[in-house]
Amino acid sequence: MPTEHLSKQYDSELEALRSRMLQMGGLVESQIRSAIEAFATGSEELINQVVATELSVNESERNIDDDCSHIVVKRQPAAGDLRLIMAISKTVTDLERIGDEAEKIARMSKQIHDAAARLQIQSFANIRHAGDIAVQMLRRALDAFARQDAAQAASVIREDVAIDNEFRSILRQLITFMMEDPRTISTALEIIWVAKAIERVGDHAKNVAEYVIYMVKGTDVRHIRLEEVERQALGGA
C-alpha cells in the first residue's frame, strides 16, 4: 500500500507539471496572438497587455523548471518519465522565448504602424498571415504534446517550410518598397524584424514538436531530414 500511494503521488506530480506547462503554452499563444493584432492595429492597450504578460510567462518558466529539477532529484525518474520531464523543461524554454518574440513585436508595433500608414507600406496582411501560421503551429504542437501524438508533431515540423516561405515573400516585398522609395527604408527594416520574430515563433513551435517525438518515441529528431523525422514519428516506439 505505501508503494502504491507513492506511485499515485508521483503520477499526480507529473500530471500537474504537464498541465502547468500546457497552461503556460496557452498563455503564450494568447500573447503572440495579441502581439500580431497589436502590430496590425497599433493598439496601445494590446501592446501594454503583451508586455505585462511577459512577466507571467517568465515566472512560469522559472517555476516549472525548478519543479522539473526537484522531481528529478526526488524521484530519480527513468525511461518515459524522464523523457517527459526533459521535454517539459525544454518546452518551457521555447515558450519563454516565444514570449520574448511577442514582446518584441508589440514594442515595435505602434511606431511601425504610424510610419507605415504615412508611407503606404502595405505589408500588414502578409505579416498577419505569417503570424496565423506560426500560432497554428504552436497550438498544434501543444495539442500533440497533450495527446502524445508523434504523427501530428511531425506534421507541425513540415509546416515550418510554409512559414519560411512567407518570410521570404515578405522580405522580397519590403525590398521592393525600399528600392522604389528610400523614405520607407527605416520602417521596412523594422517590419522585417517583426517578420523575423514571427519566423522564430515558428522555429520554437517546431522545437516543441521535436520534443514530442522524443518524448513518445525516445528518438532525437533534431537536425535530420524531414523524411526521416516522419519515418521516426510514424514508426514503432
Side-chain angles (χ1 to χ4, degrees):
M1 285 298 294
T3 301
E4 181 182 355
H5 174 72
L6 289 174
S7 176
K8 287 182 178 179
Q9 186 179 20
Y10 178 33
D11 289 343
S12 296
E13 290 173 358
L14 290 178
E15 179 56 30
L17 194 63
R18 192 178 72 101
S19 295
R20 287 168 55 211
M21 185 275 289
L22 292 171
Q23 288 172 0
M24 179 183 176
L27 180 63
V28 169
E29 180 184 336
S30 175
Q31 186 187 24
I32 191 64
R33 278 188 182 279
S34 295
I36 293 165
E37 185 66 22
F39 173 82
T41 64
S43 167
E44 290 190 22
E45 181 181 355
L46 281 175
I47 291 168
N48 293 335
Q49 178 183 317
V50 171
V51 173
T53 299
E54 180 64 6
L55 296 175
S56 298
V57 170
N58 291 343
E59 183 178 9
S60 293
E61 184 205 15
R62 288 193 300 269
N63 291 340
I64 293 171
D65 226 12
D66 283 346
D67 288 347
C68 284
S69 298
H70 291 153
I71 290 178
V72 168
V73 171
K74 179 181 176 182
R75 301 294 187 181
Q76 298 183 348
D81 289 345
L82 181 59
R83 294 202 304 270
L84 169 63
I85 294 169
M86 290 179 65
I88 289 173
S89 180
K90 289 177 178 291
T91 294
V92 296
T93 298
D94 276 278
L95 291 175
E96 190 276 331
R97 288 174 181 168
I98 291 174
D100 289 343
E101 301 296 346
E103 183 183 27
K104 183 190 305 179
I105 293 168
R107 287 188 181 280
M108 298 175 74
S109 292
K110 181 68 169 127
Q111 179 180 343
I112 290 174
H113 190 269
D114 290 347
R118 293 196 307 272
L119 297 172
Q120 300 300 306
I121 298 179
Q122 303 299 322
S123 59
F124 292 140
N126 291 14
I127 293 286
R128 184 187 288 275
H129 182 58
D132 287 344
I133 295 173
V135 170
Q136 180 184 24
M137 285 179 66
L138 176 59
R139 185 194 312 118
R140 295 185 69 239
L142 292 169
D143 181 62
F145 200 116
R147 297 191 293 110
Q148 300 188 27
D149 188 337
Q152 178 166 309
S155 73
V156 172
I157 294 170
R158 178 171 285 280
E159 289 176 32
D160 191 50
V161 175
I163 201 167
D164 289 345
N165 289 338
E166 284 293 322
F167 174 71
R168 285 191 287 270
S169 175
I170 292 167
L171 186 60
R172 286 194 298 269
Q173 183 186 43
L174 289 169
I175 287 173
T176 300
F177 280 125
M178 289 187 283
M179 291 175 65
E180 292 178 350
D181 184 353
R183 294 176 303 164
T184 67
I185 290 175
S186 178
T187 300
L189 288 173
E190 291 175 337
I191 296 173
I192 288 172
W193 281 112
V194 169
K196 186 62 179 177
I198 290 173
E199 186 204 22
R200 291 293 299 146
V201 171
D203 289 340
H204 289 303
K206 176 186 173 185
N207 291 346
V208 173
E210 289 173 345
Y211 306 148
V212 173
I213 295 173
Y214 168 73
M215 176 179 67
V216 176
K217 299 293 185 178
T219 304
D220 187 347
V221 296
R222 294 174 296 176
H223 315 305
I224 64 175
R225 292 184 304 111
L226 178 61
E227 292 77 10
E228 180 61 18
V229 171
E230 292 176 332
R231 190 185 71 79
Q232 295 286 349
L234 297 174

